[in-house]
Amino acid sequence: MASGWFYVTCLVLGSLGSMCVLFTVYWMQHWRGGFAWDGSSSMFNWHPVLMVTGMVVLYGAASLVYRLPQSWVGPKLPWKSLHAGLHLLAFIFTVVGLVAVFRFHSHGKIAHLYSLHSWLGITTVILFASQWALGFAIFLLPWASLWVRSLLKPIHVFFGASILALSIASVISGINEKLIFSLNGGAKPYSSLPSEAVFANSTGLLVLAFGLLVLYILLASSWKRPEPGILTDRQPLLHNGD
Amino acid sequence: MASGWFYVTCLVLGSLGSMCVLFTVYWMQHWRGGFAWDGSSSMFNWHPVLMVTGMVVLYGAASLVYRLPQSWVGPKLPWKSLHAGLHLLAFIFTVVGLVAVFRFHSHGKIAHLYSLHSWLGITTVILFASQWALGFAIFLLPWASLWVRSLLKPIHVFFGASILALSIASVISGINEKLIFSLNGGAKPYSSLPSEAVFANSTGLLVLAFGLLVLYILLASSWKRPEPGILTDRQPLLHNGD
């Protein structure tokens, strides 16, 4: 029964996640001139799409790997690899998304990293990179002792959830900022709520709903992997002496 | 030892919280013309101060009441009342903070509730009001059964933490928006990072650090009230038949 509800929730989550990506693509395509890789504002348009896809949707999916009941039995290593691999994919999307905005700024002689949105965003990406590297070194490579792992596991879980929350705050402030920059000064300013503004605001709320649902699934105790005893927790990628 | 660390963390939290409020006051006082209650932009200036004080600092403090080791022994009712009372105080600050921005908008013929910041903010306040009313009805009034309470407690805790995360996202997008509106078009635009921008961006990061520390204390299992057995959980404000 708990497992049935879990899959229904995953279905809702999958739909929400797809809508987040599709809505962002549609916003950029329909109102902001579509996509290119030439330093123009069409290159900037990759930024929201790749950040929402990488730092929110893929990151969210990757963080939920251990909530799949299939991951609770048998060897843990394939699931650890899937967890790390999906997060790596999320990180690659993120880096390409950053390249898009930095190249757009350089091309248009716009200053880098001045807004609070950018300060928060870059902090989030740095935390994500550190979290991934530390997670790989401690939980996948074979050298860390069980003591170190059990010490770091709650911190890893806490920062995992926090980075998602920071991503959502970055996306919200980014959508808000983009709408102010794009609409104000034009015929239909943000405050007149043209259809683009309603659509992009709604996209922001969708991202929020997706993020909250991921955090709920992460924290709901009945969906957590039952503690399987201490031994199965120490399956490193490489055994000592391999 | 765990308790010693708890108090050190609370000291850090108290300093961070005070800095959040003082930095926001200083930003408004030094760069934005100070405070008034007359519909002008000086009336708007109450908005960030009251929202940071209410929805972040007081809300954060109120949510941590059950982490005080003193609350783990003896009757739970005084702590429940403190928890509800501090949240009510936070809510009053929030409502006055909303009045400040709505009156400023009305006075200046500016549209209400168009930006994603405002959509998110108002959603957060509505969730907060619902959470408070439901918490009061279920956990303080004597009518809810133990079954209903134990069903709703994890949801109450989850939404409690989520509302704080949404408040932080609202504050970040609000600071970002305010700096764009105030600085762009002037001699020193946001992108030139004048001292006001550095100061207000730093205020945003302080709010973030405060919020993350509250969430860490909330979620760190060693600082949670030990489950005291089922009976002490049902101490309503009024006993049936009082």
Side-chain angles (χ1 to χ4, degrees):
Chain A
M1 182 61 189
S3 160
W5 270 114
F6 176 78
Y7 288 115
V8 171
T9 312
C10 282
L11 204 69
V12 175
L13 192 73
S15 316
L16 272 176
S18 313
M19 283 169 73
C20 289
V21 175
L22 291 175
F23 271 53
T24 315
V25 170
Y26 188 81
W27 175 25
M28 292 298 123
Q29 183 65 49
H30 186 71
W31 282 285
R32 293 284 125 228
F35 301 92
W37 197 261
D38 55 2
S40 71
S41 66
S42 299
M43 180 160 181
F44 169 87
N45 293 349
W46 282 109
H47 175 65
V49 170
L50 291 169
M51 302 319 266
V52 166
T53 310
M55 288 286 326
V56 179
V57 179
L58 275 172
Y59 184 103
S63 67
L64 290 178
V65 160
Y66 298 121
R67 294 300 172 278
L68 286 168
Q70 291 87 333
S71 77
W72 299 353
V73 288
K76 205 171 173 182
L77 184 57
W79 300 101
K80 279 192 183 188
S81 309
L82 182 63
H83 182 67
L86 281 173
H87 271 123
L88 188 60
L89 189 64
F91 189 69
I92 293 168
F93 272 77
T94 302
V95 169
V96 182
L98 285 186
V99 170
V101 67
F102 274 87
R103 285 266 301 269
F104 163 67
H105 278 183
S106 296
H107 189 263
K109 309 261 186 294
I110 301 167
H112 299 293
L113 294 176
Y114 66 86
S115 72
L116 180 54
H117 161 68
S118 66
W119 284 28
L120 173 60
I122 209 76
T123 305
T124 310
V125 174
I126 290 169
L127 283 174
F128 183 18
S130 316
Q131 166 90 342
W132 195 92
L134 206 70
F136 183 78
I138 301 290
F139 297 106
L140 264 176
L141 294 183
W143 303 306
S145 70
L146 188 59
W147 180 81
V148 170
R149 286 186 183 184
S150 46
L151 190 77
L152 288 184
K153 195 177 160 191
I155 295 171
H156 185 76
V157 171
F158 175 75
F159 272 95
S162 299
I163 290 166
L164 182 62
L166 298 186
S167 299
I168 295 164
S170 306
V171 168
I172 297 287
S173 55
I175 293 176
N176 205 44
E177 174 177 297
K178 177 67 184 166
L179 286 169
I180 296 172
F181 289 152
S182 304
L183 298 173
N184 286 0
K188 291 180 180 172
Y190 197 2
S191 60
S192 69
L193 265 185
S195 51
E196 176 182 356
V198 174
F199 188 87
N201 280 0
S202 307
T203 306
L205 295 189
L206 270 178
V207 168
L208 201 75
F210 175 87
L212 284 183
L213 193 56
V214 170
L215 292 175
Y216 183 77
I217 298 174
L218 266 183
L219 300 170
S221 55
S222 62
W223 289 335
K224 280 184 186 162
R225 178 189 171 101
E227 276 305 323
I230 225 145
L231 272 177
T232 52
D233 243 15
R234 48 182 320 187
Q235 292 177 339
L237 183 62
L238 301 164
H239 290 280
N240 282 320
D242 270 8
Chain B
M1 182 62 187
S3 161
W5 270 112
F6 175 79
Y7 288 114
V8 171
T9 313
C10 282
L11 204 70
V12 175
L13 193 74
S15 316
L16 271 175
S18 314
M19 285 170 72
C20 288
V21 175
L22 291 175
F23 270 54
T24 315
V25 170
Y26 188 80
W27 174 25
M28 292 298 122
Q29 184 64 50
H30 186 71
W31 281 286
R32 294 284 123 227
F35 302 92
W37 197 262
D38 55 2
S40 71
S41 65
S42 299
M43 179 160 181
F44 169 87
N45 293 348
W46 282 109
H47 176 64
V49 170
L50 291 168
M51 301 320 264
V52 167
T53 311
M55 288 285 328
V56 178
V57 178
L58 274 171
Y59 185 102
S63 68
L64 291 178
V65 160
Y66 298 121
R67 295 299 172 276
L68 285 167
Q70 290 87 332
S71 77
W72 299 352
V73 288
K76 205 171 172 181
L77 184 57
W79 301 101
K80 279 192 182 187
S81 308
L82 182 63
H83 182 67
L86 280 173
H87 271 123
L88 188 60
L89 189 65
F91 189 69
I92 293 168
F93 271 77
T94 302
V95 170
V96 183
L98 285 185
V99 170
V101 67
F102 274 86
R103 287 266 303 267
F104 163 67
H105 278 183
S106 296
H107 189 263
K109 309 262 187 293
I110 300 167
H112 299 293
L113 294 175
Y114 66 86
S115 74
L116 181 53
H117 161 69
S118 66
W119 284 29
L120 172 61
I122 208 77
T123 304
T124 310
V125 174
I126 290 168
L127 283 174
F128 183 19
S130 316
Q131 166 91 341
W132 195 92
L134 206 70
F136 183 78
I138 301 291
F139 299 106
L140 263 177
L141 293 183
W143 303 307
S145 70
L146 189 57
W147 180 81
V148 169
R149 286 185 182 184
S150 46
L151 190 77
L152 288 184
K153 195 177 160 190
I155 296 172
H156 185 77
V157 171
F158 174 75
F159 273 96
S162 298
I163 290 166
L164 181 62
L166 299 186
S167 299
I168 295 164
S170 306
V171 168
I172 296 286
S173 55
I175 293 176
N176 204 43
E177 175 177 297
K178 177 66 185 166
L179 286 169
I180 296 173
F181 290 151
S182 304
L183 297 173
N184 285 0
K188 290 179 179 172
Y190 197 2
S191 60
S192 69
L193 266 185
S195 50
E196 176 182 356
V198 174
F199 188 87
N201 280 359
S202 307
T203 306
L205 295 189
L206 270 177
V207 168
L208 200 75
F210 176 87
L212 284 183
L213 193 56
V214 170
L215 292 176
Y216 183 77
I217 298 174
L218 265 184
L219 299 170
S221 54
S222 62
W223 288 336
K224 280 184 186 160
R225 178 189 171 101
E227 276 304 322
I230 226 144
L231 273 177
T232 53
D233 243 14
R234 50 184 317 187
Q235 290 177 340
L237 183 63
L238 300 165
H239 290 281
N240 282 321
D242 270 7

